[in-house]
Amino acid sequence: MSSASRTLTQAELWAEATDRFGDDPLQWAFQCPSCKDIANGDDFKKVLDDNQGAEQPKRRGRPVIWTDVLGRECIGRYLGALDGGTSPRGCNWAAYGLFSGPWFVTMPDTDRHAPSFALAPEPAVAPVAEPQPEAVRAGGEGS
């Protein structure tokens, strides 16, 4: 999937994400255009749940939840990249920063465009192994 600039409606984004990753939004994955890390809703939920307490990130006076940031911020922002340290994965990129996008989602009933990361490539499906015939015993059958 190209990370080229693209504008789509929220309904188009949801349809494409559902086609690619299934009905569960926790499985929808986006790719950071800066570091190329791929994170899904489950990844963000786990990181944010692990940061409960005084250190928990807040926005507008309430704790940040995975739906606030999926597709809009790199997971590295919640793993130490914002603190100037190193992060085990990701970086500090945000889709709404100085270089916004690369995707822009038109919100319902408005002309407002929300910057977004591009959906991650479709997950690779491991080939199904062919059933192997039972090994023939040395010396032939029935020996």
Side-chain angles (χ1 to χ4, degrees), residues 17-64:
T18 300
D19 287 346
R20 192 172 300 181
F21 302 108
D23 292 331
D24 182 1
L26 284 168
Q27 299 307 310
W28 297 357
F30 292 81
Q31 185 168 29
C32 175
S34 178
C35 70
K36 308 301 183 213
D37 186 83
I38 294 174
N40 66 19
D42 269 337
D43 296 329
F44 276 102
K45 185 172 182 339
K46 180 176 180 351
V47 166
L48 291 167
D49 287 350
D50 288 350
N51 286 332
Q52 297 281 331
E55 301 287 322
Q56 185 175 17
K58 294 195 182 330
R59 213 171 262 158
R60 296 185 190 123
R62 68 170 180 79
V64 172

Side-chain angles (χ1 to χ4, degrees), residues 113-137:
H113 298 284
S116 173
F117 292 171
L119 285 172
E122 196 163 338
V125 177
V128 177
E130 297 274 332
Q132 299 296 317
E134 289 186 37
V136 178
R137 294 183 197 148

